[in-house]
Amino acid sequence: MQPSSPQGLVLRIDAKLCHVEVDGERRLLPLAGKLFDGVSGEKRPLAVGDRVVLDATGKAIDAVLPRSSQLHRRASTEGEERAQVLAANLTQVLAVASVSSPPFQPELVDGILAAAARERIPATLVLTKSDLDPAAAASWRAVYAHAGVHVLATSVQAGSETAAALQEIGALLHQNRTVVVGLSGAGKSSLLNAVVPDVQLRVGDLNHIRQGRHTTTHTELLPLPGGGHVLDTPGVRNFHLFCTGSQELQFLFPELAALLPQCDYRSCLHAEEQKCAVRAALDAGRLAPSRYRSYRTMLEAALDAERLEVRGGKPEQRGKGRRRPGRR
Ligand SMILES: Nc1nc2c(ncn2[C@@H]2O[C@H](COP(=O)(O)OP(=O)(O)OP(=O)(O)O)[C@@H](O)[C@H]2O)c(=O)[nH]1
Ligand SMILES: [Mg+2]
Ligand SMILES: [Zn+2]
């Protein structure tokens, strides 16, 4: 790399072209083959939010600079387990979930929050469409507040009483590089339209969304007039953690990890063990059943992956020091 090589910021990635901001202007650059060399375990070598170095001609991407953070999940491909990096170099995650239409999906939300926690990216849960079911909004808010998550309930309907929450989200956006993640139709683009002046993102028709059509089809990094950047993303149906060990998992659920010192076994996984403080809290109604269910589903997936490794199913990922792809 030459010291004078120009650098850029990845704004959007299409099938073969990458939109890169260089010196304040947008360039369309090819996704060169050599970028794919040496990047194993990842579905794509680049993510929106990556900082890149261009070659001397300024017309091709030469290298990707190390990421300060990334939000990734397990890609839903067959064969070798791969990571799909949704966005890079973030300082904030907004997990967006509607309380109704489409219904709230705790496992998806818990997956996003756990992935953010694993990367130590501060996250906020935004409960959208609270106008449709204020009681559900209040009860999910209580569940997540108990889990130590910052929660805001919103509605973009005229006359809604969530102006203060929308204002708070606007302020958070201007201080950060934020990725907005959630189910298709949850109201991500509508939320951004409500809090960012003049952004005018396309908003979906729920009938189309029910047929599986996403409204937002690309992740796009938008610079905000008042400072900060936001990444609107296409809806995700699931959020499975990538290569997360069974022992590590509970630390992504702070309200569970807080109970570990009271469990009889120091390495308690809160599954079938005797005298488990987490299961006692669940039985006593001091732990949300949905959070425990999400944890158990993720735990089973982690244990399955570990059993497969022991049997030699995936030699490239065997051993304690599992790689964390995406870090360059
Ligand atoms: N009642 C109500 N409807 C809302 C609210 N926010 C969004 N909607 C509706 O929900 C539908 C989907 O909104 P979008 O903003 O396109 O959802 P999205 O999450 O960006 O969807 P994708 O781009 O497909 O991922 C639209 O019909 C919106 O009008 C809200 O606060 N209240
Ligand atoms: Mg959208
Ligand atoms: Zn336990």
Side-chain angles (χ1 to χ4, degrees), residues 246-257:
S246 55
Q247 291 288 344
E248 177 189 0
L249 192 60
Q250 63 178 297
F251 298 100
L252 308 179
F253 285 75
E255 77 275 40
L256 267 73

Side-chain angles (χ1 to χ4, degrees), residues 117-140:
R118 195 176 181 219
E119 285 288 309
R120 296 192 170 82
I121 311 173
T124 292
L125 170 61
V126 184
L127 297 167
T128 54
K129 311 195 192 184
S130 61
D131 54 289
L132 297 179
D133 193 342
S139 90
W140 287 118

Side-chain angles (χ1 to χ4, degrees), residues 240-267:
H240 299 304
L241 294 180
F242 180 76
C243 278
T244 305
S246 55
Q247 291 288 344
E248 177 189 0
L249 192 60
Q250 63 178 297
F251 298 100
L252 308 179
F253 285 75
E255 77 275 40
L256 267 73
L259 293 167
L260 177 63
Q262 296 163 41
C263 294
D264 228 31
Y265 296 99
R266 273 208 306 184
S267 58

